[in-house]
Amino acid sequence: MQENPPKLSTSEIDVLNPKRILEKILSNWYIFLGSIFLSTILAFYITKETTPIYESEGLLLISEDKNNLSLDIFSSAGGPSENTSLQNEIVNLQTYSLAYETVKQLDLNVSYFKENLFRLKPIYNKYPIKVQANWEKPQLINALFKIIPGKENEFTVEIEVSANTQIYTKQFGGKADVYSPFKGGDLGPFQGEYGQIISNPYFEFSIFNGQNENLESVYFKIQGDGSLAKKYKSLVNIGPEGKGNTALRLKIAHPDKEIGELYINTLMNTFLASDLKIKSLISQQSLEFIQNQITTVADSLNQYENELQSYRTINRITNLSEKGSNILNETVKLDDELNKQNLRLEYYKNLQKYLTDPDGQNLLVPSVIGIEDPIFNNTVTNLLNLQNEKSGLKGVLAGDSFSYIRELNNKIENLKNNLKESNTNAILNISTHIDRLEDMISVVEKDFNLLPEVERNLTSIQRRFKINESIYTFLLQRKAETEIQKASTITKHRVLDAAMLNSSPITPKLSRNLAIGASLGVSIPLLFLIVWSIFYHKVVDPKEVENLLHIPVLGFVPREKEKNNILVHNPKSIVTESFRTIRSNLAIRFDFKNKGTIMVTSTRPGEGKTYISIKIASAYAALGKKTILVGMDLRKPAIGKELNSIHNKFGVTTFLTQEGEDWENLIQATDQEDLEVLNAGPYLERSTELINTKKFEGLMASLKEHYDFVIIDTSPIGLVSETLDLTKYTDINLFVLRQNYSFINQVQIANDLKEKMGFNNFYVVVNDMHKFGLDGHNYGYGYGYSYYSNYNSYSEDEPKGGWFRKIFR
């Protein structure tokens, strides 16, 4: 006898065993095939319905100012040594304000849609209509306009408003756009023609036919620049081109091929223009200051010139004496120097206030008022550039929440600390120089007072005139220098590559989506099967059952396609052969050949114990052995349901309740020779007590004496007690399990019958085998069953159809 494999307890079933799962997959291959098919079809549909997204990208070179003193100061103050200027420009490019300026330059306010199966689908690239809004008039935004084509060139406009609908007035020249709530009004429908203006108090636009064929209904929406700026700001991705350089790669993913390229190009140009504007801001402020001073001095100069001319005419004096001329020249020279020093002193004092509180303060570059110190000029210029940059980001990046702002503040503070000390020293030096000039002027004025009155007055007038003339000349010179500086101001950044479109969409990818669909088609039913395996504890794999059982398995009975309970009616079927195998196993392994009693039971109804009882009885009758089938399921007899020729009007209960010992008249014949039936008979409440009587014992003895084989069909052993009482009359007890019906834990009941109750004559039959295993055969194996399990009849011809028929039958 073959050695039994190691036995497991019912709690040791490995529900996640790969082979067990693979067997379930192969036995349910049609589910996986259908799931994969549906998933790939769905993936294909989603791919075709998804709007393609195209990527456009450009390359922008960010050049650093190597002479930027602020960077040197910041680095020496213990700041990060890495190049943060590139990161700063990335932040600049990603600001809402720059996106808003970019959107302002483009006509992106109208979006188009068409009706789809479940929703409105956006239209890109090829637009059926073109809406041209008149931005000098208010427009109705966030409302859905529906264009319904009519006859020839006509159409109807229907409008659907929402909670977000507003009246939008676009402003230009740096003014803020105006948004006002829509409070309701006449919104049509309106009739119109292509190319004509459609006007209303809430909107004004023209619609042009974009194609020369009949249109279907088209929808469009108008959006404000603010929401568009937020949208495009989120679409742009900016990052360094690589290590060791300062180039930035700007990318945008957008469904419209042209808009993506256009936006990136406009964004880069707007960035360059903004950078140039910031660099030119200081020069512009200086020019405005100089021009205001020139206007003021020019007025004073004209006034003194008229006064001088009038005084000479009245007093009939043209020229000063030699002494007067010398005094005038010396005085003008000293006054000119004193005015310059006072102007510088005022600048340093303003700088001191600016360093303390820059808000609300206007500061010019030192060179405008004649301070020629290059280090000082460069430091102040860098400070002003950083302050202007910080002011430009106000409202875009809040407080110190960004590293860029923190770095900017650190640079400004370092510059301020360096300027404060040098500025204080400059104020002291200039104050001392001014005192010395004033003393020198006092000495000259003593000589001036000695001049005659007429000459003294003329000298005073000429003195004021020459001082203003000198200031005027100085301002004109500074204005020319500043204009040259402004004209020569350029941005050091530049576009290396204009935006280029990647002609292949980045999404959706058909191959990727089909692969994902196929993966989901496998993984979803696989996950279901794993979960099902964890919670579905029914008999499926007979090998698993054998490992759990502590009693032998006699055989496996396949599912019968055409039900026939008498073996002789279909002697060549695999069901008949399986019962012959069980009969042979009993004869060879347990020497059960010529005579004996077999009881068939199970743990719950529906497992096929009556069916097995009939088939076992038929198998022995087919050998010519006189066989009787006894129905001992006294509560719910089922033999009469299986065998149409058998009734339940009388039977075992009739014998147990009658007075005599005659049982022969209770026997019913069947269609098979040598097979008779003693049915259970009418229901009795005292069935358990009647079985445990001498009369029933005598009945069993008579049946064993009269018949070669007695087959007893009993009640489920787990539900009633009399089944165990019948075991004392039997030689062999068959315990029936049904594939895909009996629970795995029922195996423990069979084990307990042997181990706890001492029954050594219990054997298992697995009924209704129909699930396929790993090798493509039924789950039958051993005892000769696996050889013929693929055939309807072992003597019939192989069915036509080849391998295809084998797989799909």
Side-chain angles (χ1 to χ4, degrees):
M1 184 181 298
Q2 185 178 2
E3 184 179 353
N4 290 330
K7 302 300 178 180
L8 304 172
S9 69
T10 53
S11 61
E12 293 177 326
I13 303 172
D14 184 7
V15 294
L16 297 179
N17 184 289
K19 185 177 180 181
R20 187 173 189 262
I21 294 174
L22 184 58
E23 287 174 342
K24 289 184 179 294
I25 292 173
L26 294 180
S27 64
N28 295 278
W29 59 269
Y30 51 90
I31 296 178
F32 284 87
L33 188 61
S35 177
I36 292 172
F37 177 76
L38 292 177
S39 298
T40 50
I41 291 296
L42 181 61
F44 181 82
Y45 174 78
I46 292 174
T47 302
K48 292 303 179 184
E49 287 298 312
T50 302
T51 302
I53 304 296
Y54 298 89
E55 186 175 69
S56 298
E57 57 181 42
L59 193 61
L60 182 66
L61 179 65
I62 304 298
S63 298
E64 293 184 310
D65 188 356
K66 296 182 179 179
N67 295 320
N68 193 334
L69 182 62
S70 65
L71 291 178
D72 297 335
I73 295 172
F74 180 72
S75 298
S76 63
S81 59
E82 62 181 14
N83 175 20
T84 55
S85 178
L86 193 65
Q87 298 300 321
N88 297 342
E89 299 305 342
I90 291 176
V91 174
N92 265 333
L93 284 162
Q94 291 176 330
T95 57
Y96 168 80
S97 57
L98 192 65
Y100 185 78
E101 290 180 31
T102 305
V103 168
K104 273 287 184 184
Q105 302 174 54
L106 303 173
D107 185 15
L108 304 176
N109 300 83
V110 182
S111 302
Y112 303 91
F113 306 87
K114 65 179 180 180
E115 289 182 341
N116 201 9
L117 185 60
F118 303 107
R119 61 186 178 91
L120 289 180
K121 185 177 181 180
I123 303 174
Y124 297 101
N125 299 308
K126 187 177 180 180
Y127 301 100
I129 62 171
K130 176 68 175 178
V131 178
Q132 184 175 324
N134 181 6
W135 292 113
E136 295 180 358
K137 299 292 182 69
Q139 299 294 340
L140 192 67
I141 63 171
N142 302 326
L144 187 64
F145 293 80
K146 182 178 181 180
I147 308 301
I148 305 173
K151 296 180 181 179
E152 297 182 353
N153 207 34
E154 298 178 350
F155 59 83
T156 303
V157 180
E158 296 180 355
I159 305 173
E160 180 183 341
V161 299
S162 66
N164 298 324
T165 301
Q166 294 176 297
I167 305 298
Y168 171 67
T169 304
K170 181 181 282 194
Q171 301 290 336
F172 300 92
K175 297 180 181 179
D177 295 341
V178 179
Y179 296 84
S180 57
F182 175 70
K183 298 180 180 179
D186 181 19
L187 294 179
F190 303 97
Q191 304 295 324
E193 294 185 8
Y194 294 112
Q196 293 185 352
I197 296 175
I198 300 176
S199 184
N200 185 274
Y202 311 110
F203 56 82
E204 184 174 306
F205 53 76
S206 301
I207 300 176
F208 299 90
N209 190 341
Q211 51 190 21
N212 298 323
E213 56 188 36
N214 293 329
L215 291 171
E216 297 180 353
S217 295
V218 182
Y219 298 80
F220 71 88
K221 276 186 179 181
I222 302 176
Q223 295 176 278
D225 289 337
S227 60
L228 285 173
K230 292 178 182 178
K231 171 186 174 182
Y232 281 92
K233 175 181 176 293
S234 64
L235 293 177
V236 175
N237 181 30
I238 304 171
E241 176 64 11
K243 294 183 179 180
N245 61 66
T246 58
L248 294 178
R249 178 71 64 179
L250 285 74
K251 299 180 180 180
I252 187 171
H254 197 275
D256 194 295
K257 299 176 181 179
E258 294 182 359
I259 289 178
E261 281 188 38
L262 182 62
Y263 184 82
I264 289 295
N265 284 328
T266 309
L267 178 66
M268 292 191 293
N269 291 331
T270 304
F271 169 76
L272 296 179
S274 176
D275 182 71
L276 182 61
K277 181 180 178 181
I278 292 174
K279 291 181 183 297
S280 302
L281 183 60
I282 297 174
S283 297
Q284 183 62 37
Q285 290 174 345
S286 299
L287 281 174
E288 292 174 359
F289 170 79
I290 292 172
Q291 186 59 50
N292 291 334
Q293 294 298 312
I294 287 175
T295 303
T296 303
V297 173
D299 291 341
S300 299
L301 192 61
N302 290 331
Q303 178 184 347
Y304 291 134
E305 184 179 12
N306 292 333
E307 185 180 352
L308 179 61
Q309 186 65 34
S310 175
Y311 187 83
R312 282 176 172 173
T313 301
I314 295 172
N315 293 282
R316 296 182 179 182
I317 184 172
T318 56
N319 296 318
L320 297 173
S321 64
E322 182 179 354
K323 183 178 180 180
S325 296
N326 291 335
I327 290 174
L328 176 61
N329 291 334
E330 184 67 22
T331 304
V332 170
K333 179 181 178 182
L334 292 174
D335 283 339
D336 184 47
E337 181 65 22
L338 181 61
N339 285 333
K340 290 180 180 178
Q341 295 303 321
N342 281 326
L343 188 60
R344 292 173 183 176
L345 180 61
E346 184 180 0
Y347 179 83
Y348 284 121
K349 288 181 178 180
N350 287 334
L351 177 59
Q352 196 169 28
K353 292 180 182 179
Y354 186 87
L355 294 176
T356 304
D357 183 16
D359 294 337
Q361 303 280 345
N362 290 324
L363 188 68
L364 302 175
V365 291
S367 59
V368 173
I369 46 88
I371 300 175
E372 304 297 342
D373 184 348
I375 296 178
F376 184 78
N377 279 336
N378 192 37
T379 304
V380 174
T381 302
N382 288 332
L383 177 61
L384 293 175
N385 285 331
L386 292 174
Q387 289 286 14
N388 288 332
E389 187 176 356
K390 182 179 178 181
S391 299
L393 294 175
K394 190 174 294 183
V396 179
L397 302 178
D400 289 342
S401 59
F402 287 84
S403 60
Y404 181 35
I405 294 295
R406 289 197 298 270
E407 181 188 342
L408 211 57
N409 288 332
N410 288 335
K411 290 180 180 181
I412 291 172
E413 287 303 316
N414 281 313
L415 287 173
K416 284 182 178 180
N417 291 333
N418 280 271
L419 283 172
K420 283 179 180 179
E421 184 177 355
S422 59
N423 191 66
T424 302
N425 294 330
I427 291 175
L428 291 175
N429 293 333
I430 291 178
S431 297
T432 303
H433 189 41
I434 289 174
D435 291 340
R436 187 165 58 252
L437 288 173
E438 289 177 346
D439 291 339
M440 295 173 68
I441 291 174
S442 298
V443 172
V444 175
E445 284 182 345
K446 289 179 181 180
D447 295 333
F448 172 74
N449 291 331
L450 297 176
L451 293 174
E453 182 180 357
V454 173
E455 189 175 1
R456 188 170 64 247
N457 291 336
L458 179 61
T459 302
S460 296
I461 296 172
Q462 283 188 332
R463 177 183 176 184
R464 291 194 296 270
F465 175 79
K466 285 184 175 293
I467 289 173
N468 280 276
E469 186 181 37
S470 175
I471 294 174
Y472 185 76
T473 303
F474 171 78
L475 290 174
L476 288 177
Q477 180 184 355
R478 292 302 176 190
K479 179 181 179 182
E481 292 174 355
T482 305
E483 286 178 339
I484 293 173
Q485 182 182 0
K486 180 182 178 183
S488 62
T489 301
I490 60 172
T491 176
K492 295 186 178 181
H493 313 317
R494 60 191 177 94
V495 176
L496 293 180
D497 283 333
M500 293 180 291
L501 174 72
N502 184 354
S503 58
S504 299
I506 59 173
T507 184
K509 298 286 188 181
L510 179 60
S511 57
R512 181 182 63 186
N513 288 353
L514 290 178
I516 293 174
S519 299
L520 290 175
V522 173
S523 59
I524 291 175
L526 178 61
L527 180 62
F528 175 79
L529 282 178
I530 292 174
V531 174
W532 184 260
S533 298
I534 294 174
F535 296 101
Y536 188 77
H537 296 158
K538 290 188 176 181
V539 171
V540 177
D541 184 359
K543 288 186 178 180
E544 187 176 64
V545 173
E546 280 197 319
N547 287 335
L548 292 170
L549 281 170
H550 299 173
I551 58 178
V553 177
L554 278 183
F556 305 91
V557 179
R559 174 172 289 183
E560 192 171 32
K561 295 180 180 179
E562 297 179 1
K563 193 171 182 181
N564 197 325
N565 289 313
I566 303 300
L567 293 178
V568 294
H569 291 171
N570 195 3
K572 297 180 180 180
S573 70
I574 60 170
V575 175
T576 301
E577 190 62 27
S578 67
F579 281 99
R580 289 176 180 149
T581 301
I582 294 173
R583 185 183 65 193
S584 299
N585 284 330
L586 287 173
I588 297 171
R589 297 175 63 188
F590 306 105
D591 198 25
F592 190 79
K593 299 178 180 178
N594 300 317
K595 201 171 181 66
T597 303
I598 300 175
M599 182 184 77
V600 182
T601 187
S602 65
T603 56
R604 53 196 289 249
E607 292 176 306
K609 55 180 180 52
T610 301
Y611 171 79
I612 297 296
S613 300
I614 295 172
K615 290 291 187 181
I616 288 289
S618 179
Y620 281 103
L623 293 176
K625 301 292 184 180
K626 194 173 183 181
T627 306
I628 186 169
L629 175 62
V630 182
M632 289 304 299
D633 190 350
L634 303 182
R635 289 178 171 80
K636 196 175 181 181
I639 294 177
K641 297 178 181 178
E642 297 288 339
L643 298 175
N644 295 330
S645 60
I646 303 300
H647 61 79
N648 199 42
K649 296 178 181 179
F650 51 77
V652 175
T653 57
T654 307
F655 171 78
L656 294 176
T657 54
Q658 70 183 9
E659 293 184 359
E661 298 292 332
D662 184 18
W663 52 268
E664 286 86 352
N665 59 342
L666 303 177
I667 301 299
Q668 301 182 56
T670 66
D671 295 338
Q672 184 175 354
E673 187 179 357
D674 294 325
L675 176 60
E676 295 178 333
V677 176
L678 176 60
N679 210 353
Y683 172 73
L684 288 178
E685 292 184 0
R686 302 183 297 117
S687 58
T688 303
E689 290 77 8
L690 292 174
I691 288 175
N692 293 297
T693 60
K694 292 290 184 180
K695 190 170 187 178
F696 181 76
E697 185 178 346
L699 174 63
M700 291 302 300
S702 299
L703 292 174
K704 289 181 180 182
E705 182 179 352
H706 190 76
Y707 294 94
D708 296 321
F709 288 94
V710 178
I711 311 300
I712 303 175
D713 175 36
T714 67
S715 303
I717 198 169
L719 299 179
V720 295
S721 59
E722 59 260 30
T723 301
L724 289 176
D725 295 333
L726 293 173
T727 56
K728 59 187 176 184
Y729 303 109
T730 61
D731 303 306
I732 297 292
N733 300 301
L734 299 183
F735 190 89
V736 179
L737 295 172
R738 182 178 176 183
Q739 188 189 39
N740 214 37
Y741 183 84
S742 302
F743 290 100
I744 285 290
N745 58 9
Q746 292 175 222
V747 172
Q748 190 59 38
I749 297 176
N751 292 336
D752 290 343
L753 290 172
K754 175 182 179 182
E755 295 173 352
K756 295 182 178 180
M757 305 189 69
F759 294 108
N760 293 316
N761 56 350
F762 263 89
Y763 308 98
V764 170
V765 173
V766 182
N767 185 30
D768 196 29
M769 295 293 297
H770 60 281
K771 291 291 183 178
F772 288 87
L774 185 59
D775 58 356
H777 294 70
N778 282 336
Y779 268 119
Y781 59 92
Y783 317 122
Y785 174 58
S786 62
Y787 175 77
Y788 54 79
S789 59
N790 274 338
Y791 298 90
N792 292 323
S793 172
Y794 63 88
S795 63
E796 293 176 359
D797 295 334
E798 176 72 18
K800 296 181 180 180
W803 61 270
F804 186 84
R805 179 71 175 269
K806 289 181 180 180
I807 294 176
F808 292 99
R809 67 185 177 187

